[in-house]
Amino acid sequence: MKNEANGPGNAYAYVNKVRERAFEPDQPWSGMSQVQFREAMYEERKFELSAEGHRRMDLIRWGILLDRVKTVQHRAWNNPAANIQPYHVLLPIPQNQLELNPNLLESDPTNNGYR
């Protein structure tokens, strides 16, 4: 957020504090452009939060879910790139909410592509 608002200058302190605690104390970040910092942060969050279930929401929030998943190289029988669809950037309206208010499907009968 600091990077997006004002560039990476003030953001380095926060990232370097996490890197020092986590795994790279001898490799602090510095000297990046705003775009370089953003790209590095994408990769950093991939490792820092790898088992915490935030990756998909990060990719959706950053607007890069489809691009990232389509470039994944995986086993032929388990290939995420073959299954990702544009509607996966949206979440479906939960069934219990549709039952409480069927009018929710009037504006989008496909439920964001999930029906």
PDB file of all heavy atoms in Angstrom, residues 29-54:
ATOM      1  N   TRP A  29      15.808  -5.150   0.881  1.00  0.00           N
ATOM      2  CA  TRP A  29      15.398  -4.518  -0.367  1.00  0.00           C
ATOM      3  C   TRP A  29      15.804  -3.057  -0.358  1.00  0.00           C
ATOM      4  O   TRP A  29      15.700  -2.366   0.654  1.00  0.00           O
ATOM      5  CB  TRP A  29      13.892  -4.596  -0.528  1.00  0.00           C
ATOM      6  CG  TRP A  29      13.360  -5.950  -0.871  1.00  0.00           C
ATOM      7  CD1 TRP A  29      14.036  -7.125  -0.910  1.00  0.00           C
ATOM      8  CD2 TRP A  29      12.016  -6.252  -1.208  1.00  0.00           C
ATOM      9  NE1 TRP A  29      13.196  -8.143  -1.258  1.00  0.00           N
ATOM     10  CE2 TRP A  29      11.944  -7.639  -1.443  1.00  0.00           C
ATOM     11  CE3 TRP A  29      10.861  -5.497  -1.318  1.00  0.00           C
ATOM     12  CZ2 TRP A  29      10.765  -8.273  -1.796  1.00  0.00           C
ATOM     13  CZ3 TRP A  29       9.689  -6.125  -1.662  1.00  0.00           C
ATOM     14  CH2 TRP A  29       9.646  -7.507  -1.905  1.00  0.00           C
ATOM     15  N   SER A  30      16.193  -2.556  -1.518  1.00  0.00           N
ATOM     16  CA  SER A  30      16.450  -1.123  -1.694  1.00  0.00           C
ATOM     17  C   SER A  30      16.635  -0.847  -3.181  1.00  0.00           C
ATOM     18  O   SER A  30      16.850  -1.764  -3.971  1.00  0.00           O
ATOM     19  CB  SER A  30      17.704  -0.694  -0.923  1.00  0.00           C
ATOM     20  OG  SER A  30      18.849  -1.328  -1.464  1.00  0.00           O
ATOM     21  N   GLY A  31      16.519   0.409  -3.548  1.00  0.00           N
ATOM     22  CA  GLY A  31      16.826   0.855  -4.900  1.00  0.00           C
ATOM     23  C   GLY A  31      15.904   0.382  -6.006  1.00  0.00           C
ATOM     24  O   GLY A  31      16.300   0.369  -7.161  1.00  0.00           O
ATOM     25  N   MET A  32      14.686   0.016  -5.683  1.00  0.00           N
ATOM     26  CA  MET A  32      13.743  -0.449  -6.715  1.00  0.00           C
ATOM     27  C   MET A  32      12.830   0.683  -7.160  1.00  0.00           C
ATOM     28  O   MET A  32      12.537   1.594  -6.394  1.00  0.00           O
ATOM     29  CB  MET A  32      12.859  -1.572  -6.165  1.00  0.00           C
ATOM     30  CG  MET A  32      13.557  -2.826  -5.789  1.00  0.00           C
ATOM     31  SD  MET A  32      12.311  -4.007  -5.189  1.00  0.00           S
ATOM     32  CE  MET A  32      13.335  -5.121  -4.270  1.00  0.00           C
ATOM     33  N   SER A  33      12.348   0.558  -8.388  1.00  0.00           N
ATOM     34  CA  SER A  33      11.296   1.466  -8.843  1.00  0.00           C
ATOM     35  C   SER A  33       9.976   0.970  -8.257  1.00  0.00           C
ATOM     36  O   SER A  33       9.905  -0.121  -7.686  1.00  0.00           O
ATOM     37  CB  SER A  33      11.212   1.459 -10.374  1.00  0.00           C
ATOM     38  OG  SER A  33      10.707   0.211 -10.826  1.00  0.00           O
ATOM     39  N   GLN A  34       8.941   1.747  -8.428  1.00  0.00           N
ATOM     40  CA  GLN A  34       7.630   1.344  -7.923  1.00  0.00           C
ATOM     41  C   GLN A  34       7.171   0.039  -8.574  1.00  0.00           C
ATOM     42  O   GLN A  34       6.666  -0.857  -7.906  1.00  0.00           O
ATOM     43  CB  GLN A  34       6.606   2.453  -8.175  1.00  0.00           C
ATOM     44  CG  GLN A  34       5.249   2.181  -7.558  1.00  0.00           C
ATOM     45  CD  GLN A  34       4.270   3.315  -7.775  1.00  0.00           C
ATOM     46  OE1 GLN A  34       4.240   3.913  -8.848  1.00  0.00           O
ATOM     47  NE2 GLN A  34       3.481   3.607  -6.761  1.00  0.00           N
ATOM     48  N   VAL A  35       7.377  -0.100  -9.867  1.00  0.00           N
ATOM     49  CA  VAL A  35       6.972  -1.310 -10.584  1.00  0.00           C
ATOM     50  C   VAL A  35       7.814  -2.504 -10.132  1.00  0.00           C
ATOM     51  O   VAL A  35       7.287  -3.592  -9.903  1.00  0.00           O
ATOM     52  CB  VAL A  35       7.083  -1.104 -12.112  1.00  0.00           C
ATOM     53  CG1 VAL A  35       6.869  -2.397 -12.865  1.00  0.00           C
ATOM     54  CG2 VAL A  35       6.091  -0.047 -12.570  1.00  0.00           C
ATOM     55  N   GLN A  36       9.121  -2.323  -9.989  1.00  0.00           N
ATOM     56  CA  GLN A  36       9.984  -3.409  -9.518  1.00  0.00           C
ATOM     57  C   GLN A  36       9.592  -3.851  -8.116  1.00  0.00           C
ATOM     58  O   GLN A  36       9.560  -5.049  -7.813  1.00  0.00           O
ATOM     59  CB  GLN A  36      11.449  -2.971  -9.520  1.00  0.00           C
ATOM     60  CG  GLN A  36      12.030  -2.789 -10.892  1.00  0.00           C
ATOM     61  CD  GLN A  36      13.395  -2.117 -10.849  1.00  0.00           C
ATOM     62  OE1 GLN A  36      13.651  -1.238 -10.028  1.00  0.00           O
ATOM     63  NE2 GLN A  36      14.267  -2.532 -11.754  1.00  0.00           N
ATOM     64  N   PHE A  37       9.285  -2.897  -7.258  1.00  0.00           N
ATOM     65  CA  PHE A  37       8.869  -3.224  -5.900  1.00  0.00           C
ATOM     66  C   PHE A  37       7.573  -4.027  -5.921  1.00  0.00           C
ATOM     67  O   PHE A  37       7.432  -5.015  -5.210  1.00  0.00           O
ATOM     68  CB  PHE A  37       8.685  -1.937  -5.079  1.00  0.00           C
ATOM     69  CG  PHE A  37       8.432  -2.181  -3.619  1.00  0.00           C
ATOM     70  CD1 PHE A  37       9.472  -2.134  -2.711  1.00  0.00           C
ATOM     71  CD2 PHE A  37       7.158  -2.451  -3.137  1.00  0.00           C
ATOM     72  CE1 PHE A  37       9.258  -2.355  -1.363  1.00  0.00           C
ATOM     73  CE2 PHE A  37       6.925  -2.678  -1.795  1.00  0.00           C
ATOM     74  CZ  PHE A  37       7.979  -2.623  -0.903  1.00  0.00           C
ATOM     75  N   ARG A  38       6.624  -3.604  -6.744  1.00  0.00           N
ATOM     76  CA  ARG A  38       5.339  -4.302  -6.849  1.00  0.00           C
ATOM     77  C   ARG A  38       5.562  -5.752  -7.286  1.00  0.00           C
ATOM     78  O   ARG A  38       5.023  -6.679  -6.692  1.00  0.00           O
ATOM     79  CB  ARG A  38       4.433  -3.592  -7.840  1.00  0.00           C
ATOM     80  CG  ARG A  38       3.062  -4.203  -7.978  1.00  0.00           C
ATOM     81  CD  ARG A  38       2.192  -3.485  -9.017  1.00  0.00           C
ATOM     82  NE  ARG A  38       2.136  -2.062  -8.768  1.00  0.00           N
ATOM     83  CZ  ARG A  38       2.490  -1.138  -9.667  1.00  0.00           C
ATOM     84  NH1 ARG A  38       2.912  -1.478 -10.862  1.00  0.00           N
ATOM     85  NH2 ARG A  38       2.405   0.144  -9.375  1.00  0.00           N
ATOM     86  N   GLU A  39       6.351  -5.958  -8.322  1.00  0.00           N
ATOM     87  CA  GLU A  39       6.622  -7.316  -8.813  1.00  0.00           C
ATOM     88  C   GLU A  39       7.337  -8.149  -7.755  1.00  0.00           C
ATOM     89  O   GLU A  39       7.026  -9.325  -7.566  1.00  0.00           O
ATOM     90  CB  GLU A  39       7.454  -7.265 -10.094  1.00  0.00           C
ATOM     91  CG  GLU A  39       6.717  -6.721 -11.291  1.00  0.00           C
ATOM     92  CD  GLU A  39       5.610  -7.636 -11.781  1.00  0.00           C
ATOM     93  OE1 GLU A  39       5.757  -8.868 -11.698  1.00  0.00           O
ATOM     94  OE2 GLU A  39       4.586  -7.111 -12.254  1.00  0.00           O
ATOM     95  N   ALA A  40       8.286  -7.552  -7.051  1.00  0.00           N
ATOM     96  CA  ALA A  40       8.995  -8.269  -5.989  1.00  0.00           C
ATOM     97  C   ALA A  40       8.041  -8.627  -4.858  1.00  0.00           C
ATOM     98  O   ALA A  40       8.139  -9.709  -4.268  1.00  0.00           O
ATOM     99  CB  ALA A  40      10.154  -7.426  -5.465  1.00  0.00           C
ATOM    100  N   MET A  41       7.086  -7.756  -4.573  1.00  0.00           N
ATOM    101  CA  MET A  41       6.118  -8.033  -3.514  1.00  0.00           C
ATOM    102  C   MET A  41       5.205  -9.194  -3.897  1.00  0.00           C
ATOM    103  O   MET A  41       4.849 -10.017  -3.052  1.00  0.00           O
ATOM    104  CB  MET A  41       5.287  -6.781  -3.210  1.00  0.00           C
ATOM    105  CG  MET A  41       4.324  -6.953  -2.062  1.00  0.00           C
ATOM    106  SD  MET A  41       5.087  -7.465  -0.500  1.00  0.00           S
ATOM    107  CE  MET A  41       6.090  -6.058  -0.129  1.00  0.00           C
ATOM    108  N   TYR A  42       4.844  -9.282  -5.175  1.00  0.00           N
ATOM    109  CA  TYR A  42       4.047 -10.426  -5.632  1.00  0.00           C
ATOM    110  C   TYR A  42       4.770 -11.728  -5.285  1.00  0.00           C
ATOM    111  O   TYR A  42       4.171 -12.668  -4.776  1.00  0.00           O
ATOM    112  CB  TYR A  42       3.830 -10.379  -7.143  1.00  0.00           C
ATOM    113  CG  TYR A  42       2.943  -9.265  -7.668  1.00  0.00           C
ATOM    114  CD1 TYR A  42       2.952  -8.959  -9.017  1.00  0.00           C
ATOM    115  CD2 TYR A  42       2.109  -8.518  -6.836  1.00  0.00           C
ATOM    116  CE1 TYR A  42       2.152  -7.955  -9.538  1.00  0.00           C
ATOM    117  CE2 TYR A  42       1.309  -7.516  -7.348  1.00  0.00           C
ATOM    118  CZ  TYR A  42       1.335  -7.237  -8.701  1.00  0.00           C
ATOM    119  OH  TYR A  42       0.540  -6.247  -9.218  1.00  0.00           O
ATOM    120  N   GLU A  43       6.054 -11.776  -5.596  1.00  0.00           N
ATOM    121  CA  GLU A  43       6.836 -12.988  -5.330  1.00  0.00           C
ATOM    122  C   GLU A  43       7.045 -13.196  -3.831  1.00  0.00           C
ATOM    123  O   GLU A  43       6.988 -14.318  -3.341  1.00  0.00           O
ATOM    124  CB  GLU A  43       8.182 -12.921  -6.054  1.00  0.00           C
ATOM    125  CG  GLU A  43       8.061 -12.960  -7.557  1.00  0.00           C
ATOM    126  CD  GLU A  43       7.347 -14.213  -8.052  1.00  0.00           C
ATOM    127  OE1 GLU A  43       7.777 -15.323  -7.698  1.00  0.00           O
ATOM    128  OE2 GLU A  43       6.362 -14.084  -8.800  1.00  0.00           O
ATOM    129  N   GLU A  44       7.287 -12.134  -3.104  1.00  0.00           N
ATOM    130  CA  GLU A  44       7.530 -12.236  -1.655  1.00  0.00           C
ATOM    131  C   GLU A  44       6.318 -12.817  -0.938  1.00  0.00           C
ATOM    132  O   GLU A  44       6.443 -13.694  -0.093  1.00  0.00           O
ATOM    133  CB  GLU A  44       7.871 -10.850  -1.089  1.00  0.00           C
ATOM    134  CG  GLU A  44       8.379 -10.874   0.319  1.00  0.00           C
ATOM    135  CD  GLU A  44       9.832 -11.308   0.436  1.00  0.00           C
ATOM    136  OE1 GLU A  44      10.493 -11.522  -0.584  1.00  0.00           O
ATOM    137  OE2 GLU A  44      10.303 -11.435   1.583  1.00  0.00           O
ATOM    138  N   ARG A  45       5.136 -12.326  -1.271  1.00  0.00           N
ATOM    139  CA  ARG A  45       3.918 -12.842  -0.627  1.00  0.00           C
ATOM    140  C   ARG A  45       3.674 -14.297  -0.994  1.00  0.00           C
ATOM    141  O   ARG A  45       3.140 -15.058  -0.207  1.00  0.00           O
ATOM    142  CB  ARG A  45       2.702 -11.988  -0.988  1.00  0.00           C
ATOM    143  CG  ARG A  45       2.672 -10.703  -0.177  1.00  0.00           C
ATOM    144  CD  ARG A  45       1.383  -9.946  -0.346  1.00  0.00           C
ATOM    145  NE  ARG A  45       0.196 -10.666   0.036  1.00  0.00           N
ATOM    146  CZ  ARG A  45      -0.383 -10.646   1.235  1.00  0.00           C
ATOM    147  NH1 ARG A  45       0.169  -9.948   2.199  1.00  0.00           N
ATOM    148  NH2 ARG A  45      -1.484 -11.314   1.458  1.00  0.00           N
ATOM    149  N   LYS A  46       4.095 -14.693  -2.181  1.00  0.00           N
ATOM    150  CA  LYS A  46       3.936 -16.090  -2.599  1.00  0.00           C
ATOM    151  C   LYS A  46       4.681 -17.009  -1.635  1.00  0.00           C
ATOM    152  O   LYS A  46       4.186 -18.075  -1.288  1.00  0.00           O
ATOM    153  CB  LYS A  46       4.475 -16.266  -4.020  1.00  0.00           C
ATOM    154  CG  LYS A  46       4.416 -17.696  -4.515  1.00  0.00           C
ATOM    155  CD  LYS A  46       4.726 -17.821  -5.994  1.00  0.00           C
ATOM    156  CE  LYS A  46       6.127 -17.482  -6.343  1.00  0.00           C
ATOM    157  NZ  LYS A  46       6.449 -17.682  -7.764  1.00  0.00           N
ATOM    158  N   PHE A  47       5.838 -16.593  -1.169  1.00  0.00           N
ATOM    159  CA  PHE A  47       6.621 -17.434  -0.264  1.00  0.00           C
ATOM    160  C   PHE A  47       6.262 -17.210   1.197  1.00  0.00           C
ATOM    161  O   PHE A  47       6.126 -18.151   1.967  1.00  0.00           O
ATOM    162  CB  PHE A  47       8.114 -17.204  -0.481  1.00  0.00           C
ATOM    163  CG  PHE A  47       8.564 -17.629  -1.839  1.00  0.00           C
ATOM    164  CD1 PHE A  47       8.968 -16.699  -2.778  1.00  0.00           C
ATOM    165  CD2 PHE A  47       8.546 -18.962  -2.200  1.00  0.00           C
ATOM    166  CE1 PHE A  47       9.361 -17.089  -4.042  1.00  0.00           C
ATOM    167  CE2 PHE A  47       8.938 -19.365  -3.468  1.00  0.00           C
ATOM    168  CZ  PHE A  47       9.349 -18.420  -4.386  1.00  0.00           C
ATOM    169  N   GLU A  48       6.113 -15.971   1.596  1.00  0.00           N
ATOM    170  CA  GLU A  48       5.849 -15.650   2.999  1.00  0.00           C
ATOM    171  C   GLU A  48       4.529 -16.239   3.473  1.00  0.00           C
ATOM    172  O   GLU A  48       4.407 -16.688   4.600  1.00  0.00           O
ATOM    173  CB  GLU A  48       5.863 -14.137   3.211  1.00  0.00           C
ATOM    174  CG  GLU A  48       5.523 -13.686   4.595  1.00  0.00           C
ATOM    175  CD  GLU A  48       6.566 -14.053   5.647  1.00  0.00           C
ATOM    176  OE1 GLU A  48       7.712 -14.346   5.295  1.00  0.00           O
ATOM    177  OE2 GLU A  48       6.213 -14.042   6.831  1.00  0.00           O
ATOM    178  N   LEU A  49       3.516 -16.243   2.625  1.00  0.00           N
ATOM    179  CA  LEU A  49       2.181 -16.709   3.022  1.00  0.00           C
ATOM    180  C   LEU A  49       1.773 -17.971   2.262  1.00  0.00           C
ATOM    181  O   LEU A  49       0.592 -18.230   2.077  1.00  0.00           O
ATOM    182  CB  LEU A  49       1.158 -15.591   2.770  1.00  0.00           C
ATOM    183  CG  LEU A  49       1.440 -14.284   3.513  1.00  0.00           C
ATOM    184  CD1 LEU A  49       0.486 -13.199   3.052  1.00  0.00           C
ATOM    185  CD2 LEU A  49       1.345 -14.478   5.003  1.00  0.00           C
ATOM    186  N   SER A  50       2.727 -18.768   1.865  1.00  0.00           N
ATOM    187  CA  SER A  50       2.453 -19.894   0.965  1.00  0.00           C
ATOM    188  C   SER A  50       1.439 -20.894   1.505  1.00  0.00           C
ATOM    189  O   SER A  50       0.687 -21.474   0.741  1.00  0.00           O
ATOM    190  CB  SER A  50       3.745 -20.612   0.606  1.00  0.00           C
ATOM    191  OG  SER A  50       4.322 -21.183   1.767  1.00  0.00           O
ATOM    192  N   ALA A  51       1.387 -21.112   2.779  1.00  0.00           N
ATOM    193  CA  ALA A  51       0.484 -22.132   3.321  1.00  0.00           C
ATOM    194  C   ALA A  51      -0.708 -21.528   4.056  1.00  0.00           C
ATOM    195  O   ALA A  51      -1.399 -22.225   4.784  1.00  0.00           O
ATOM    196  CB  ALA A  51       1.257 -23.046   4.264  1.00  0.00           C
ATOM    197  N   GLU A  52      -0.957 -20.258   3.852  1.00  0.00           N
ATOM    198  CA  GLU A  52      -2.004 -19.599   4.623  1.00  0.00           C
ATOM    199  C   GLU A  52      -3.261 -19.288   3.819  1.00  0.00           C
ATOM    200  O   GLU A  52      -4.169 -18.640   4.315  1.00  0.00           O
ATOM    201  CB  GLU A  52      -1.437 -18.329   5.261  1.00  0.00           C
ATOM    202  CG  GLU A  52      -0.329 -18.667   6.240  1.00  0.00           C
ATOM    203  CD  GLU A  52       0.232 -17.467   6.952  1.00  0.00           C
ATOM    204  OE1 GLU A  52      -0.490 -16.459   7.106  1.00  0.00           O
ATOM    205  OE2 GLU A  52       1.401 -17.540   7.352  1.00  0.00           O
ATOM    206  N   GLY A  53      -3.335 -19.718   2.575  1.00  0.00           N
ATOM    207  CA  GLY A  53      -4.553 -19.580   1.797  1.00  0.00           C
ATOM    208  C   GLY A  53      -4.868 -18.178   1.309  1.00  0.00           C
ATOM    209  O   GLY A  53      -6.022 -17.871   1.036  1.00  0.00           O
ATOM    210  N   HIS A  54      -3.877 -17.317   1.158  1.00  0.00           N
ATOM    211  CA  HIS A  54      -4.119 -15.949   0.702  1.00  0.00           C
ATOM    212  C   HIS A  54      -3.809 -15.751  -0.776  1.00  0.00           C
ATOM    213  O   HIS A  54      -4.153 -14.727  -1.347  1.00  0.00           O
ATOM    214  CB  HIS A  54      -3.261 -14.956   1.494  1.00  0.00           C
ATOM    215  CG  HIS A  54      -3.564 -14.908   2.945  1.00  0.00           C
ATOM    216  ND1 HIS A  54      -4.667 -14.274   3.446  1.00  0.00           N
ATOM    217  CD2 HIS A  54      -2.907 -15.425   4.000  1.00  0.00           C
ATOM    218  CE1 HIS A  54      -4.679 -14.392   4.765  1.00  0.00           C
ATOM    219  NE2 HIS A  54      -3.615 -15.095   5.123  1.00  0.00           N
TER     220      HIS A  54
END
